[in-house]
Amino acid sequence: MLLQIAKLGHPILRRIAEPLTLDELHDPDISRLIDDMIATMRDHEGIGLAAPQVFVTKRILIVELRPSPRTPGTPSLPLKVMLNPEITIRSADTIPVWEGCLSVDNLRGLVRRPSAITVHYSDRQGDERTLDLDGLAAVIVQHEMDHLDGQLFLDRMDDMTRLAHQREFERFWQTALPQLVD
Ligand code: ZN
């Protein structure tokens, strides 16, 4: 089932999401929610989605980077479902990415984030996982993690002159920098 996306200004996007309990890790309702999140992300051609974006304040995020002929050189990351994720920054280096968000229609903003992270999480089976991520994959997980803490990419921008409507982004700002929509 495709889910409605919460949009900028809805208070649910500003709440701190609750951790999943052990029981919830194996709850069929949560499993159905995750399936619906995956379908919704793919339907929007997004590369990530966090539960608060579908009006559920639980610490669930999904990411999936697919190779695309339109964006050669983009790394791929097979679908990951991360429950109760925690991030450790592994590098002081940052990378600039023009981010977008399914909850912030039609806008893109330039954000700098650490380029390498380690993420610990439980998978759908409840098994503990650790994953080292670099580059765009690291950025997406940080963007989704922010949603679990009531933050949006707009809050991470340090130069608001680098906020653009999608159409003007394509006209004036589109460069070799990686883009991101989630
Ligand atoms: Zn987002």
Side-chain angles (χ1 to χ4, degrees):
M1 185 177 82
L2 297 180
L3 303 170
Q4 283 280 104
I5 304 278
K7 301 293 183 177
L8 177 67
H10 196 291
I12 204 158
L13 292 173
R14 294 308 193 170
R15 283 172 53 185
I16 310 275
E18 300 282 331
L20 287 173
T21 63
L22 263 181
D23 284 347
E24 284 174 323
L25 286 177
H26 302 286
D27 183 338
D29 286 344
I30 293 289
S31 189
R32 199 168 308 117
L33 167 69
I34 292 167
D35 287 339
D36 290 345
M37 284 175 64
I38 294 167
T40 302
M41 174 182 71
R42 288 176 173 166
D43 185 64
H44 285 90
E45 299 184 334
I47 55 181
L49 192 67
Q53 291 184 277
V54 294
F55 302 91
V56 178
T57 50
K58 294 286 179 188
R59 302 190 79 81
I60 303 169
L61 65 83
I62 61 174
V63 292
E64 183 180 40
L65 260 178
R66 293 165 299 272
S68 156
R70 284 187 303 135
T71 51
T74 301
S76 69
L77 179 68
L79 177 69
K80 302 283 181 208
V81 175
M82 300 182 180
L83 311 175
N84 297 335
E86 288 178 20
I87 285 177
T88 311
I89 306 294
R90 270 194 299 123
S91 168
D93 293 343
T94 60
I95 47 169
V97 174
W98 281 91
E99 298 191 16
C101 182
L102 293 178
S103 296
V104 187
D105 295 304
N106 272 320
L107 288 177
R108 282 184 180 277
L110 190 64
V111 181
R112 284 193 159 273
R113 297 183 191 267
S115 61
I117 62 168
T118 299
V119 57
H120 301 276
Y121 61 95
S122 297
D123 67 15
R124 293 187 77 167
Q125 282 69 47
D127 293 327
E128 298 282 321
R129 301 269 177 189
T130 300
L131 200 58
D132 288 338
L133 297 172
D134 299 281
L136 197 55
V139 168
I140 296 163
V141 170
Q142 290 174 80
H143 175 120
E144 301 311 330
M145 190 73 184
D146 273 356
H147 280 300
L148 304 184
D149 293 323
Q151 297 264 299
L152 299 169
F153 78 86
L154 300 165
D155 309 324
R156 296 287 188 187
M157 293 182 65
D158 53 17
D159 178 358
M160 294 308 277
T161 70
R162 298 298 185 269
L163 181 64
H165 210 268
Q166 175 66 27
R167 187 161 160 267
E168 310 307 347
F169 166 76
E170 288 166 13
R171 287 175 71 199
F172 296 109
W173 297 103
Q174 195 155 29
T175 63
L177 285 178
Q179 306 160 40
L180 167 63
V181 179
D182 82 291

